[in-house]
Amino acid sequence: MENVKILSYEAIELLKKLVETPSFSKEEDTTARIISDFFEGKNIPLQRKKNNIWAYNLHFDASKPTVLLNSHHDTVKPNKSWTLDPFKALIEDGKLYGLGSNDAGGCLVSLIVTFCHFYERDDLSYNLVIAATAEEEISGKEGLEIVVPELPEISFAIVGEPTEMHLAVAEKGLLVLDCAAKGKSGHAAREEGDNAIYKALKDINWISSYQFPKVSPTLGPVKMSVTIINSGTQHNVVPDLCTFTIDVRATDQYTLEEIIEGIQANIQSEVTARSIRLRPSSIPMEHPIVQAGLKLGRNAYGSPTTSDQALLDCHSLKMGPGHSGRSHSADEFIYLEEIEKGIAQYILMLEDVIGNKG
């Protein structure tokens, strides 16, 4: 695929510009402008809302189903262990170093040039929309969440995150629960009060040992972890309140509401969900885009991490060049070869599904 060489060059040049431009979550204005300039340089009309950019294929047809290609252009802040300049796109030994190069710059630029590859095709059986979105790293509310209402109904989506181009066919959702065990205060030296800490401990013991019965074939069991606990004001006062936080990694076997109900039914503490936005997601193994990847020898698996997939109410596949283990690490990098191979795989898989044989 000689065209992939050209697309890979364009992707890497765009990635270098993005890496050299700070784009912390909520501060992505300049990278949004860089992405806009890229599309405008190719005479591709685009739309922007806040720091989100999206565009449609030239021959968009409202009677056809639509595929969403999505990845994010915000980054975390560099940690103190960096030995290189995080905002210098250094290419060395076949690697491109820089903050956001792996998570998720390589995925984003690969999807952008893949979209460009199909942009002028008039024989597609699906429409294509590319969305470069903000605030993914903080699960923010002004990223993909505000773009989705602007889009037509999405048949399925490919979300670009570093998976070594393997197929993340399911992804755990995130549920954060704030719990409050209530007792009665009293003097610690006398038999007074009802210790809220002891009440909380009973609940925490249940949380640590309970297993939800339904286990996902791709994601495994629902996982609950108590991660924060607070109580007490001074050593000689029995506390009347103990608060704790549960981090719940949900699977596709339960709705978030079902998990909340199950927990509340078994503990005395009051349970309050911070949010039910970040839901588990999945795509059937028999879906054509999954089958297209399997035919190329890729593996299917369930991902324990959360991405913008959680904000999509459609079948979605998480897949992209790069390695998840490099994300948020010092001296982050992506292999140039990974980008080229990623573009080739995106094109082959989409051609299989949306091309004139789709």
Side-chain angles (χ1 to χ4, degrees), residues 208-239:
S208 68
S209 60
Y210 182 75
Q211 288 283 335
F212 280 87
K214 290 189 286 186
V215 176
S216 168
T218 52
L219 297 171
V222 173
K223 187 177 186 303
M224 298 190 290
S225 303
V226 175
T227 53
I228 302 171
I229 185 167
N230 288 291
S231 187
T233 55
Q234 59 192 64
H235 76 89
N236 59 352
V237 177
V238 172

Side-chain angles (χ1 to χ4, degrees), residues 253-268:
Q253 297 298 299
Y254 295 93
T255 66
L256 299 187
E257 290 83 357
E258 287 172 337
I259 292 173
I260 295 168
E261 289 172 7
I263 294 171
Q264 184 66 86
N266 285 279
I267 67 175
Q268 292 185 16

Side-chain angles (χ1 to χ4, degrees), residues 144-335:
L144 181 60
E145 189 166 357
I146 65 169
V147 174
V148 170
E150 306 288 336
L151 304 178
E153 182 179 354
I154 302 299
S155 176
F156 72 89
I158 297 177
V159 177
E161 290 286 346
T163 68
E164 300 177 273
M165 293 304 290
H166 290 299
L167 317 172
V169 295
E171 178 184 272
K172 285 191 174 180
L174 173 61
L175 185 60
V176 180
L177 302 177
D178 292 312
C179 304
K182 295 181 179 179
K184 183 178 180 182
S185 62
H187 199 294
R190 297 190 291 269
E191 294 295 325
E192 294 179 350
D194 185 10
N195 197 316
I197 293 177
Y198 296 159
K199 285 189 163 186
L201 287 175
K202 290 180 182 179
D203 290 344
I204 291 170
N205 182 61
W206 179 86
I207 292 161
S208 68
S209 60
Y210 182 75
Q211 288 283 335
F212 280 87
K214 290 189 286 186
V215 176
S216 168
T218 52
L219 297 171
V222 173
K223 187 177 186 303
M224 298 190 290
S225 303
V226 175
T227 53
I228 302 171
I229 185 167
N230 288 291
S231 187
T233 55
Q234 59 192 64
H235 76 89
N236 59 352
V237 177
V238 172
D240 63 355
L241 178 67
C242 181
T243 61
F244 58 96
T245 300
I246 316 173
D247 178 294
V248 183
R249 301 294 164 153
T251 74
D252 51 359
Q253 297 298 299
Y254 295 93
T255 66
L256 299 187
E257 290 83 357
E258 287 172 337
I259 292 173
I260 295 168
E261 289 172 7
I263 294 171
Q264 184 66 86
N266 285 279
I267 67 175
Q268 292 185 16
S269 301
E270 294 180 359
V271 178
T272 304
R274 290 189 190 175
S275 169
I276 53 172
R277 295 168 56 238
L278 303 179
R279 296 179 177 272
S281 56
S282 64
I283 188 169
M285 289 294 294
E286 61 270 19
H287 194 285
I289 196 66
V290 176
Q291 290 299 310
L294 294 175
K295 283 193 290 186
L296 296 175
R298 310 317 290 166
N299 299 322
Y301 71 102
S303 173
T305 58
T306 301
S307 73
D308 272 344
Q309 270 187 295
L311 303 173
L312 293 171
D313 188 22
C314 65
H315 288 144
S316 58
L317 175 67
K318 183 164 69 176
M319 178 182 68
H323 189 292
S324 181
R326 300 182 210 135
S327 301
H328 306 178
S329 66
D331 299 338
E332 179 183 350
F333 70 88
I334 189 168
Y335 286 99

